[in-house]
Amino acid sequence: MLESFYYTSPLFKAAVASYGLVLFTYLIGLFIQKKWYGQLSLGLFTAAFLVCTILVGDRWIEAGRPPFKSLYESLVFAVWTTSLVSLIAEWRFKVRLIGLLSTISIIGIFLFSLTKRDVEIIALPPALQTWMFVPHVISYFVAYGALFVAGLGALLYLFFPNGVASHHSLGKQEKIDFSVFTYQISKLGFLFLTAGLLLGAWWGQNAWSNYWAWDPKENWAFITWLIFAAYLHFRNIGSMSERGLAWVVIIGVLAIVFTYLGMDYLPTAGDSLHTYSSE
Amino acid sequence: MNNSSNNKSHNHTDGRVFKKSIHLISQTVLIGLISQNIYHWVGKNFLVPGIGFLAGILVFIGLVALMAKPLYRIIDNPPFNVSNLIFIALATALGTFIPQQTDAAVPGLIGFLQLNDIFHSWWYVSFFALMAGGLVKISSKKKFNLENIGFHLAHLSPILVLCGFWADHFLGFKGIIKLEEGQQKSTVLLYNGQSGEIYDSTELGFSIRLDHFEFENHEPDYRIQLWKRDTTGRAVMVSHGEVNDPKPSKMVASLPLEPGKIHRIYGSDMRFRLSEFYPDFEFEYEYPTNIDTITAKDPGIMIDLKTMDGDAFVQLRANVAGRNKLADMVNLGAWLEFYWDLPDSLNNRLSSAIQTGFTKQNRIIFDGKNQKIYFLIHGKITEKALKTNEFHAMSENGNIGFSVRHLMPDVAYMKATPATKSQELKNPVAKVEVWKKGGSAQNAFLYPTQSAGKGGSFIVPGTLYFLAMESIKDKETKYYKSEVSVVGEDGQIVKQSPIKVNEPMLYKGFRFYQNDYDPQNPNYSGIGVSQEPGLMVIYMGFFLLVAGVAHMFYVKKVNNHA
Ligand code: HEM
C-alpha cells in the first residue's frame, strides 16, 4: 500500500493529507467544545473537499473523459460526494460527530482505493461514450454518499437514542435527534437513488437496447431501492421502533456496499455488463 | 407525537396485519407457481397454440378470486405493501445467487419452483401484480388535489412502468440481424434477452442493408512502465496488461514520455529517466570517408536492397564464415557475395572474358580491395566500379535493385547512432538511462511487444523491477459503426443512417442498435432490432416517479414523526 501511495500523484497525496488533518481536528474537537473550534474543523473539512474537487477535476482533464470508469476513480468520487453530503449535513444540522465519522470513513476509502489504484488511465469503451453516463453516475454517487451519511446517523442513533447536544459553532446549542437526521438525509438519498436507477435504465436502453436485463448489479440496485422504500414506509406506518428503523437504514447501506463492491462474489456475476475495471 | 399507549395498540394491530399480509402474499405466490406449472404442462400436452397460457391464466384468476375479499381489504394497507416490497427484495436477491436460465427446461424441484428463471416466473410477477393493485387502490382513496399531487405521481407512476414493461414483454420483441457488408436482410432472429438464446424469427416487412461497417481503436499512447516481478515469478509481461504467468508481474507505474524527468524506484537507490524517444527508430551509420587509410582487418559491406517486399539492408562480412554471402534468389534474383581479396581461382575466371566454370546461378560479386562489382547474369559478366550510393537496377522498371551504402575495410570503424526516420509512430523505441544514486548511468532501449513475441524490456539491476514501453490504449475499441440503408419491399431505399452504440436508428416503431461486432471479421455487424411499444410509457413513468418523490419530499412534505 505504501508503494502504491508512493506512485500516486501529488494531488492525491495532498488530498489524503488534508483529510488526515481534518480527522485529527475532529478528534481533538471531541474535547474542545468551543464555537471557534467548530468553525475551524468545518473550514478545514471544506478545504479538504476543495482539494478533492481539484483531484477529481484534474483526473477529468487528464483522462479527457469523466473520471468514473475504474473502481479507483469511482472510489475517489465517492469520497467527493460523501464529503459534499457531510458538509451539507453538518452545516444544516450542526452536528460535528457526522464530520468525524465521515472523515474516518473517507480515510478508509482512500486506503482501500490504493489497493485498487489504476496505474494507467484507461480509455472509455463505446457504451460509456455518452453524456448519459454522467448524470447517471453522479446521481448514484450523490445517493450513495447521502445514504452512507444517513447510515452514520442511524449508527449514532443506536449509540445516542436520546440525541446529543449540538456543539456546533454555526447555531445555538440545540439537541440533535439522530432519527430525524437519518430520515432527512435518507430522503435526499432516496430521491437521487431513484433518479440514478431510472437514468441507468434509460441509458441502458440506448447503449444495449435493454433498459432492464436482470443483471446482478441491476438487481442489487433494485434491492437497495426497495430497502429504502420500505424504510420510508415503515417510518410512515409508525409501527416499527426507532431502533428497528435505524437497523433498516444500516441494512440498506450494507446493500449499497454489496451492490457497489460485491458483485464479483456472486455466482451470477459472470456475464454482467456492469463491472468496474480494476488493475 | 404518538403517546406511548397509542403506539402500543398501533403496534398490536399492525402486527396482526403484517401476519395476515405475509399469509396472503405467500398464497398468491403459491397460486402463481401452480398456474405456471399448469401452463407448461398443458402447453406441452395439448398442442394448440396459446392454450397453455390460457389455462394458466384462468387457474390463476380463479384461485386468486377465491381470496378476493380479504385480499381487496388489505391490498392498500401499508404493512401489506411493505411486506410485499421485502418479499420482492428477497426474491430478487435469490435470483442473483442462483444462476438464471442456465438451461431452458430444468428438471426437478428447481425447475418446478422456476428458480432457474425467477424473474420471468409467474410467482415473481405475482408480487408486482399485488403491488400494482395496491397502488391503484391507495391512490384512488386519496383526494386528488394539488397538495397530494406528489403522492399520486409517486404511487401511480410505478404502474406506468409496470404496464410499459408488460406491454414490451407481450407485444414487443428483441432480436438481431447479422449482416456482412453489402448484405441485406428482412428477417430478425429473436432471442431471449437474458440467455441470449435464439428461439424464433420474424419478418420486418422491409430490409436492412449493411452498406459499410467500421471500427477503430483508440490512438496509441506509448508510456514508460515500471513493472514489479513477483519474488518467485519470471519477468513476464504481455502487452495489454494481461499476464499469463501464474505469478504475474504487476505494473506499478506508468509514466508519460517526458525526457529528462528523473524517477526514483520505490525502496531502492535506483533512478531512471527517459533520455530520448524515437517514434520511428533506426540506426544512423557513419563510416570514415578516407577508407584507403584503414587496414583491411575485418572487411564488411553494407548494402541497401530495394525489393518487392520493401526496403531492407544487409551487411556482409568478408572474413566471417557464412556471413559473406546472401543467397537471395527470391528478392533480387541473384546471390550477393563479398570478398576483400578475390580468391585467385575466382579472379582468373572473372578476368577471362568468356565465362567458364560457373554455375547457371546469377551472382553479384563485390571486390572490396579493387572496388569493383561483377554482375554474373544469365551467363554474362559485366564489370562496374564499386561506388557508394549508386543504384543498380535488377529489373527493367527499376523496382528491384540495390546500392552500396558503405564499403568498410574494417567494420570496427563503423559508428551507429540511434535516430528516428520520421515523426510517425512506426517503430517506437525509448532510450532510458538507469543508474544507482551516485553511480554512472547505463543505457537501455525499450520497445513494445512485437506481434511475434517479447518486447524489449529492461531489468533494473539488483531489483525486482523492470522497465518496459507499451501502449495499452490502442488495444481498446474506440467506436464501431454501421452505415445502413432501409430498403422497402419495392427495392427503394427509404432511409439511410449510421448506427452507433448509444445512437440507435428509429424506423416505423422499430429501433435498430449497434449490438455486435467481431474483431476477427471486419465486415460483420450485428444490428439489434427491437419493438418496444411500452418504452415511452416507461420513460414517462420514470420521469413522473422522480418528480412525484421530489414533490412529496420537498414541496408538500408528507407527515412524518419529526
Ligand atoms: C402498493 C404499494 C404502496 C402503498 C400502498 C403505499 C402507501 C403509502 C402511504 C400510505 C404513504 C404515506 C403518505 C402520506 O402520509 O401522505 C406513502 C408514502 C410514500 N410512498 Fe408509498 N406506497 C406504496 C408503494 C410505494 C412505492 C413503490 C414507492 C416508490 C417510489 C413509494 C414511495 C413513497 C414515498 C417516497 C413516500 C413518502 C414517505 C415519507 O416521506 O416518509 N410508495 N406510501
Side-chain angles (χ1 to χ4, degrees):
Chain A
M1 213 186 260
L2 222 57
E3 174 167 19
S4 190
F5 185 68
Y6 175 83
Y7 290 113
T8 57
S9 66
L11 256 175
F12 184 89
K13 294 188 178 86
V16 175
S18 336
Y19 279 103
L21 182 66
V22 176
L23 175 57
F24 182 72
T25 342
Y26 273 113
L27 280 172
I28 302 289
L30 289 173
F31 307 103
I32 307 177
Q33 300 176 345
K34 294 262 166 51
K35 182 176 172 166
W36 65 268
Y37 195 85
Q39 277 168 335
L40 176 73
S41 10
L42 186 58
L44 283 176
F45 195 175
T46 312
F49 172 68
L50 290 179
V51 177
C52 187
T53 310
I54 297 171
L55 179 64
V56 172
D58 177 70
R59 179 78 172 198
W60 197 316
I61 293 165
E62 193 187 348
R65 54 158 179 83
F68 313 131
K69 164 67 184 136
S70 67
L71 181 54
Y72 168 73
E73 290 169 336
S74 80
L75 285 165
V76 172
F77 192 57
V79 166
W80 189 83
T81 56
T82 306
S83 307
L84 177 66
V85 178
S86 294
L87 282 169
I88 292 171
E90 178 162 346
W91 168 75
R92 176 93 168 60
F93 294 93
K94 300 152 183 64
V95 51
R96 272 190 274 161
L97 280 174
I98 289 294
L100 174 64
L101 293 186
S102 293
T103 28
I104 292 176
S105 321
I106 283 168
I107 296 286
I109 297 173
F110 269 135
L111 292 182
F112 180 62
S113 80
L114 283 177
T115 68
K116 301 288 169 193
R117 183 178 65 99
D118 25 300
V119 178
E120 191 165 326
I121 295 179
I122 38 185
L124 282 190
L128 269 59
Q129 296 169 21
T130 164
W131 64 269
M132 295 183 116
F133 172 45
V134 179
H136 167 68
V137 173
I138 291 181
S139 287
Y140 254 122
F141 277 81
V142 169
Y144 283 2
L147 294 170
F148 183 75
V149 171
L152 295 179
L155 209 60
L156 284 171
Y157 178 83
L158 294 178
F159 283 102
F160 306 105
N162 298 317
V164 292
S166 160
H167 303 300
H168 202 276
S169 50
L170 297 173
K172 52 187 187 309
Q173 301 263 320
E174 60 180 61
K175 218 165 160 71
I176 299 288
D177 179 344
F178 284 115
S179 166
V180 173
F181 173 87
T182 303
Y183 174 61
Q184 293 298 348
I185 304 290
S186 296
K187 284 203 303 188
L188 179 74
F190 185 72
L191 179 61
F192 279 94
L193 196 66
T194 310
L197 185 69
L198 303 184
L199 283 166
W202 183 20
W203 170 28
Q205 178 66 33
N206 265 350
W208 297 297
S209 67
N210 220 343
Y211 45 82
W212 196 262
W214 301 107
D215 180 288
K217 187 117 183 168
E218 294 170 358
N219 289 338
W220 274 94
F222 181 46
I223 293 166
T224 308
W225 184 81
L226 289 168
I227 294 173
F228 283 99
Y231 162 75
L232 292 171
H233 285 92
F234 270 133
R235 203 168 190 284
N236 234 302
I237 300 167
S239 61
M240 192 183 259
S241 71
E242 294 285 0
R243 281 186 80 77
L245 289 173
W247 276 109
V248 176
V249 173
I250 290 169
I251 290 170
V253 173
L254 293 178
I256 288 177
V257 174
F258 186 64
T259 309
Y260 181 25
L261 302 172
M263 291 304 102
D264 291 343
Y265 304 105
L266 284 173
T268 48
D271 39 27
S272 173
L273 281 170
H274 307 260
T275 46
Y276 275 109
S277 39
S278 64
E279 292 174 64
Chain B
M1 215 183 271
N2 302 318
N3 66 46
S4 60
S5 69
N6 197 345
N7 223 353
K8 236 182 204 154
S9 70
H10 209 124
N11 273 348
H12 191 63
T13 41
D14 275 347
R16 282 218 321 264
V17 179
F18 270 117
K19 225 175 184 171
K20 181 128 202 186
S21 304
I22 291 170
H23 260 119
L24 285 170
I25 296 170
S26 311
Q27 278 168 30
T28 316
V29 163
L30 197 65
I31 293 171
L33 189 61
I34 292 167
S35 327
Q36 187 174 12
N37 279 291
I38 288 175
Y39 153 39
H40 286 171
W41 186 82
V42 173
K44 219 185 309 170
N45 291 289
F46 301 87
L47 297 166
V48 184
I51 187 132
F53 187 77
L54 196 69
I57 280 286
L58 286 176
V59 170
F60 184 84
I61 292 171
L63 289 177
V64 170
L66 288 179
M67 42 187 249
K69 236 189 197 159
L71 202 55
Y72 179 74
R73 212 178 303 137
I74 208 173
I75 203 164
D76 62 335
N77 212 314
F80 179 85
N81 286 288
V82 179
S83 310
N84 196 18
L85 292 183
I86 291 170
F87 267 107
I88 298 174
L90 292 174
T92 309
L94 198 61
T96 67
F97 289 110
I98 300 172
Q100 296 293 292
Q101 293 209 336
T102 43
D103 195 23
V106 171
L109 196 61
I110 294 219
F112 177 75
L113 298 176
Q114 307 297 327
L115 291 179
N116 60 316
D117 190 12
I118 291 178
F119 305 117
H120 303 94
S121 72
W122 287 27
W123 64 264
Y124 185 74
V125 175
S126 302
F127 291 127
F128 292 88
L130 289 176
M131 185 204 263
L135 288 166
V136 170
K137 192 175 169 200
I138 187 112
S139 198
S140 66
K141 270 171 65 179
K142 199 155 180 129
K143 226 172 111 193
F144 279 88
N145 58 18
L146 211 57
E147 256 189 15
N148 289 341
I149 186 148
F151 178 87
H152 287 297
L153 288 181
H155 289 84
L156 288 173
S157 54
I159 301 175
L160 286 184
V161 176
L162 285 173
C163 289
F165 210 85
W166 287 328
D168 285 353
H169 185 79
F170 289 112
L171 308 173
F173 68 80
K174 260 187 210 320
I176 193 164
I177 303 182
K178 299 181 173 192
L179 290 169
E180 299 266 338
E181 238 174 36
Q183 239 178 358
Q184 94 178 44
K185 284 184 188 169
S186 61
T187 309
V188 182
L189 303 172
L190 301 182
Y191 63 83
N192 181 309
Q194 204 181 346
S195 67
E197 206 177 294
I198 286 168
Y199 64 89
D200 202 356
S201 66
T202 189
E203 287 296 320
L204 285 174
F206 54 86
S207 304
I208 297 293
R209 192 176 72 205
L210 181 63
D211 297 326
H212 178 62
F213 177 73
E214 63 184 40
F215 71 94
E216 198 173 280
N217 282 1
H218 286 273
E219 298 281 301
D221 176 19
Y222 285 96
R223 294 176 147 251
I224 304 292
Q225 297 162 335
L226 184 64
W227 290 72
K228 189 179 189 181
R229 276 176 291 157
D230 187 275
T231 30
T232 53
R234 297 177 293 124
V236 177
M237 187 210 54
V238 180
S239 67
H240 206 173
E242 283 162 24
V243 177
N244 51 16
D245 191 89
K247 292 275 187 184
S249 306
K250 221 179 128 174
M251 201 206 294
V252 293
S254 164
L255 309 156
L257 303 172
E258 293 172 308
K261 191 169 172 188
I262 296 175
H263 304 279
R264 188 168 77 86
I265 295 179
Y266 177 80
S268 83
D269 291 338
M270 299 305 290
R271 311 272 193 277
F272 67 90
R273 70 169 169 214
L274 173 69
S275 38
E276 193 99 48
F277 176 69
Y278 310 97
D280 189 6
F281 182 86
E282 66 165 4
F283 277 110
E284 234 162 46
Y285 295 98
E286 259 180 274
Y287 202 79
T289 42
N290 49 344
I291 58 170
D292 301 342
T293 62
I294 298 172
T295 323
K297 221 165 136 194
D298 181 5
I301 190 168
M302 192 179 274
I303 304 163
D304 284 304
L305 306 177
K306 193 170 171 188
T307 74
M308 299 298 268
D309 293 336
D311 296 348
F313 79 87
V314 288
Q315 185 177 308
L316 301 178
R317 306 269 291 276
N319 297 350
V320 183
R323 294 267 324 259
N324 69 327
K325 251 184 216 161
L326 177 72
D328 176 19
M329 283 311 298
V330 181
N331 287 312
L332 287 181
W335 288 3
L336 298 174
E337 295 168 43
F338 173 56
Y339 304 90
W340 189 259
D341 284 306
L342 284 182
D344 284 343
S345 56
L346 186 59
N347 200 13
N348 291 339
R349 267 180 281 159
L350 285 172
S351 48
S352 66
I354 336 134
Q355 188 191 347
T356 51
F358 289 116
T359 57
K360 280 192 194 129
Q361 182 58 56
N362 289 339
R363 298 163 73 177
I364 298 165
I365 296 167
F366 299 92
D367 175 351
K369 195 160 86 186
N370 302 313
Q371 304 195 9
K372 278 185 180 150
I373 311 178
Y374 299 96
F375 292 82
L376 279 69
I377 308 291
H378 304 314
K380 240 179 76 194
I381 301 177
T382 327
E383 185 189 314
K384 281 186 184 170
L386 195 166
K387 284 187 196 146
T388 52
N389 298 321
E390 192 177 273
F391 184 69
H392 304 279
M394 297 294 292
S395 66
E396 270 174 29
N397 56 12
N399 278 345
I400 299 172
F402 68 91
S403 55
V404 174
R405 206 192 295 184
H406 293 292
L407 176 65
M408 303 169 281
D410 186 354
V411 293
Y413 288 83
M414 167 60 90
K415 213 173 107 200
T417 20
T420 193
K421 222 187 287 182
S422 68
Q423 290 309 309
E424 277 173 86
L425 273 176
K426 272 189 182 156
N427 180 27
V429 170
K431 183 180 165 198
V432 290
E433 285 174 89
V434 183
W435 68 97
K436 195 174 186 148
K437 193 184 166 197
S440 57
Q442 189 178 352
N443 282 330
F445 288 90
L446 308 176
Y447 51 89
T449 309
Q450 311 292 331
S451 53
K454 277 195 159 186
S457 57
F458 176 77
I459 296 179
V460 179
T463 69
L464 291 171
Y465 294 89
F466 62 97
L467 288 163
M469 185 187 64
E470 295 286 343
S471 164
I472 293 176
K473 266 214 179 88
D474 57 338
K475 277 128 198 145
E476 307 279 351
T477 309
K478 186 174 174 190
Y479 74 88
Y480 39 110
K481 174 171 96 171
S482 298
E483 309 267 1
V484 301
S485 296
V486 179
V487 184
E489 271 179 293
D490 51 0
Q492 291 273 319
I493 292 177
V494 282
K495 182 171 181 153
Q496 276 185 313
S497 169
I499 303 176
K500 285 168 83 174
V501 178
N502 281 310
E503 291 169 33
M505 172 181 81
L506 268 139
Y507 182 71
K508 278 197 174 169
F510 299 99
R511 297 170 153 257
F512 299 88
Y513 295 88
Q514 180 63 65
N515 267 13
D516 195 19
Y517 81 105
D518 177 4
Q520 308 307 324
N521 178 3
N523 294 322
Y524 163 79
S525 174
I527 304 290
V529 187
S530 68
Q531 192 178 34
E532 285 143 317
L535 197 59
M536 287 305 138
V537 178
I538 291 175
Y539 286 168
M540 179 93 81
F542 285 176
F543 179 75
L544 296 179
L545 179 53
V546 176
V549 171
H551 183 273
M552 246 200 300
F553 283 166
Y554 296 110
V555 183
K556 155 69 177 64
K557 294 186 180 123
V558 293
N559 62 323
N560 57 56
H561 294 191

